[in-house]
Amino acid sequence: MSGSACSGNSELRPRRGGVIGLFQRDYLVRMINQMTEAMGQIVGLRRQMKQEEALQIIDDLLDKRFRLSGRLIRSLSEEELIKVMTTNGLVERENVAAIAYLLKQEALLRQDLGKEAESYELHVRALKLFLGLALLKEEPELLSLQEQIEEQLELLSAYELPAPAKRLIMSWHEAEGHYDQMENVLYELYEDRACTKGELAAAYERLLRLDDEALLAGRLSRDEVEASLAALTVKEA
């Protein structure tokens, strides 16, 4: 899952009028209310230093709320999970967002308990799920993807991220018009040998197809992009 992929609408949102649409909307509202209540309970228990109780709530929700077992949810990759939670081409965006948020809260709780390695893995998983939804243009009503992504990036800022996560971050920055940050992550991938010179050149060529106003809004100038592309050509020669 990379790049600014296709858009779609969640099966949880009404796509047509009548009884079916009303039923879907009622289900969505109830689901959001239930998850919002559960999220508040988890956050509250963490503030009371009752991490184990909060972790039990998360385990129960992952086991009973999403038609998949908690074990299966944890074993699937982020891309696989989104595919499993897609029916007839429609992503269950609210469910995926809720799972990502629960994994994020579990990461915070495990960090409180001194389990840094487990916390890191969970934070990365949550970030990748949020990014996956954002790149599919599947914005849930439950939470703001942009806020969650920015918060996850801040929480993970002290850590080296795996290349697949960096690719999603790069694609997200490009989709959001953060071209300077896109370039930074792209060069990290290149330096990590997780990105070829051809991919680097192709990214600069995409940027050059944008107008000057868009580039400047993304904190890059056409001269900078052209100079970077030219430097790559010189190195090849």
Side-chain angles (χ1 to χ4, degrees), residues 7 15 79 135 178 184 197 227:
S7 61
R15 297 176 61 81
E79 185 174 15
L135 290 171
H178 310 151
N184 291 340
K197 189 174 289 187

Side-chain angles (χ1 to χ4, degrees), residues 6-16 24 85-94 133 136-140:
C6 59
S7 61
N9 290 319
S10 169
E11 65 177 315
L12 298 180
R13 296 192 177 191
R15 297 176 61 81
R16 64 187 70 172
Q24 289 175 325
M85 304 206 79
T86 300
T87 306
N88 297 325
L90 303 173
V91 179
E92 298 172 29
R93 67 182 90 184
E94 306 298 338
L133 286 177
L136 289 168
K137 301 189 186 303
E138 293 285 354
E139 184 70 33

Side-chain angles (χ1 to χ4, degrees), residues 57-155:
I57 291 174
I58 291 172
D59 282 342
D60 289 344
L61 286 168
L62 290 176
D63 268 331
K64 300 171 183 175
R65 180 63 191 79
F66 302 103
R67 71 177 172 78
L68 301 173
S69 69
R71 179 175 294 181
L72 181 57
I73 288 172
R74 295 179 189 283
S75 68
L76 293 172
S77 71
E78 295 74 29
E79 185 174 15
E80 289 170 338
L81 183 57
I82 290 177
K83 285 181 179 177
V84 168
M85 304 206 79
T86 300
T87 306
N88 297 325
L90 303 173
V91 179
E92 298 172 29
R93 67 182 90 184
E94 306 298 338
N95 284 337
V96 176
I99 289 171
Y101 186 84
L102 291 173
L103 294 178
K104 170 188 172 180
Q105 290 302 317
E106 182 177 351
L108 293 169
L109 291 162
R110 295 203 179 279
Q111 187 171 4
D112 291 343
L113 296 171
K115 299 179 179 180
E116 188 169 349
E118 293 178 28
S119 174
Y120 167 80
E121 293 296 332
L122 288 162
H123 271 309
V124 172
R125 288 210 68 193
L127 172 63
K128 290 169 73 176
L129 285 171
F130 288 136
L131 288 166
L133 286 177
L135 290 171
L136 289 168
K137 301 189 186 303
E138 293 285 354
E139 184 70 33
E141 293 188 26
L142 185 64
L143 47 76
S144 164
L145 290 176
Q146 181 170 338
E147 288 179 6
Q148 293 299 321
I149 290 168
E150 289 175 351
E151 188 170 335
Q152 287 302 99
L153 290 175
E154 179 62 29
L155 288 167

